[in-house]
Amino acid sequence: MTETRLNDRAVIRLSATDGSEDIRAFLQGLVTQDMMAVAPDAPQWSALLSAQGKLLFDFFLWVDGDDILIDCEAEQADALVKRLKLYRLRRKIEIGLDDSLAVHWALKAADKPVDPRLPAIGHRWLGAAAHAAGADDAYRQHRLSLGVTEGQAELGSDKTLWLECNATELGGVSFAKGCYVGQENTARMNYRQKVNRRMVVVPISEADDKRQRLAYPAYGLSVEHRRVEDIRGRDLPDWLAQAIAPE
């Protein structure tokens, strides 16, 4: 593959405009991931939730010196910037799009970071934002073939509880980091092991219109929000089948 840029992704940069500000500390109380786990070449999948624990935005967190970079959906980038600025209040933190950077993906790129959700997804990195035809279609088709969903079109906005998005299994949440927006309900679901529904990718021939979030006819796949008992026994990826196996 010669094209690696994901054109439907954008990069947001958070920078301190005062030496007393700590970007990690600012985000620690907002996002689902432990900011201490975010390290150079070790991006983390994370989310910003509603107070009820429902997904508003999912994204990847990267480190660039003292700055934090957010790899997010391009269509949602402005809305995410606006939401983060609401939480900023009077803190001296600059939050805005960094148009000099782009998100890149390749199935094989040994010198680049592995996708933190599943190694089988491939390699993900940030690089120069040179114009390119893009690898969006190849990335999307490969990701869905592994049963991994992402973004508002598939997961919804303020519709789906974060753990129903398979956040535990795909490393999108820390249960040891302390409080963040939506933490109480998320922690309670984990403690009680009460994740009754899951985001799942099924053959479009088996689609359920009432549960469908998005259809991909070109791939023959349907992204759906189904009850766990409705998907047990189906041909699921190993990581999901193990997660929902009855005890």
Side-chain angles (χ1 to χ4, degrees):
M1 181 186 295
T2 56
E3 297 290 355
T4 63
R5 179 170 176 172
L6 298 181
N7 288 313
D8 62 1
R9 306 293 295 185
V11 178
I12 296 171
R13 180 180 292 274
L14 286 82
S15 305
T17 59
D18 185 300
S20 65
E21 292 289 357
D22 184 336
I23 305 298
R24 287 180 189 262
F26 167 65
L27 289 173
Q28 185 76 334
L30 297 179
V31 304
T32 61
Q33 188 57 260
D34 185 353
M35 290 304 302
M36 297 305 106
V38 185
D41 295 325
Q44 301 293 323
W45 187 48
S46 188
L48 186 63
L49 309 181
S50 70
Q52 293 73 36
K54 292 183 178 181
L55 172 69
L56 297 178
F57 304 93
D58 72 306
F59 42 77
F60 295 83
L61 297 163
W62 299 78
V63 170
D64 183 17
D66 292 331
D67 293 356
I68 295 293
L69 304 176
I70 297 178
D71 153 8
C72 66
E73 292 182 275
E75 289 186 354
Q76 303 302 326
D78 288 338
L80 179 53
V81 167
K82 184 177 180 180
R83 172 73 62 153
L84 290 171
K85 285 182 176 179
L86 289 176
Y87 290 116
R88 178 183 59 181
L89 301 176
R90 296 184 179 180
R91 299 186 68 165
K92 297 179 180 179
I93 297 173
E94 182 66 27
I95 304 172
L97 293 175
D98 187 336
D99 295 327
S100 70
L101 293 174
V103 180
H104 296 262
W105 168 84
L107 189 56
K108 296 182 180 180
D111 61 331
K112 303 299 184 183
V114 173
D115 191 294
R117 296 167 294 182
L118 285 176
I121 295 176
H123 298 259
R124 190 181 197 96
W125 68 97
L126 303 182
H131 177 75
D136 299 270
D137 187 68
Y139 165 72
R140 186 183 304 111
Q141 186 170 5
H142 178 64
R143 170 177 61 78
L144 291 168
S145 75
L146 298 172
V148 177
T149 53
E150 69 177 29
Q152 287 197 7
E154 295 174 10
L155 303 178
S157 177
D158 204 12
K159 294 181 178 180
T160 315
L161 293 165
W162 185 225
L163 297 193
E164 295 177 347
C165 300
N166 306 307
T168 302
E169 293 72 26
L170 297 175
V173 59
S174 169
F175 295 109
K177 62 166 285 184
C179 293
Y180 55 89
V181 179
Q183 182 264 346
E184 184 176 356
N185 198 30
T186 303
R188 185 184 301 114
M189 286 182 66
N190 179 65
Y191 176 74
R192 295 179 177 176
Q193 294 295 293
K194 290 290 186 181
V195 185
N196 297 322
R197 293 176 175 81
R198 295 279 185 163
M199 295 304 306
V200 64
V201 182
V202 302
I204 203 165
S205 59
E206 301 174 12
D208 181 339
D209 291 342
K210 294 181 179 179
R211 304 289 179 257
Q212 188 178 75
R213 287 288 177 79
L214 191 64
Y216 290 101
Y219 309 150
L221 298 173
S222 176
V223 175
E224 306 192 0
H225 186 221
R226 292 197 182 190
R227 294 191 66 85
V228 167
E229 56 264 33
D230 293 337
I231 59 175
R232 284 198 179 109
R234 292 181 175 272
D235 184 18
L236 300 173
D238 288 344
W239 65 266
L240 182 54
Q242 292 172 11
I244 67 171
E247 296 181 355

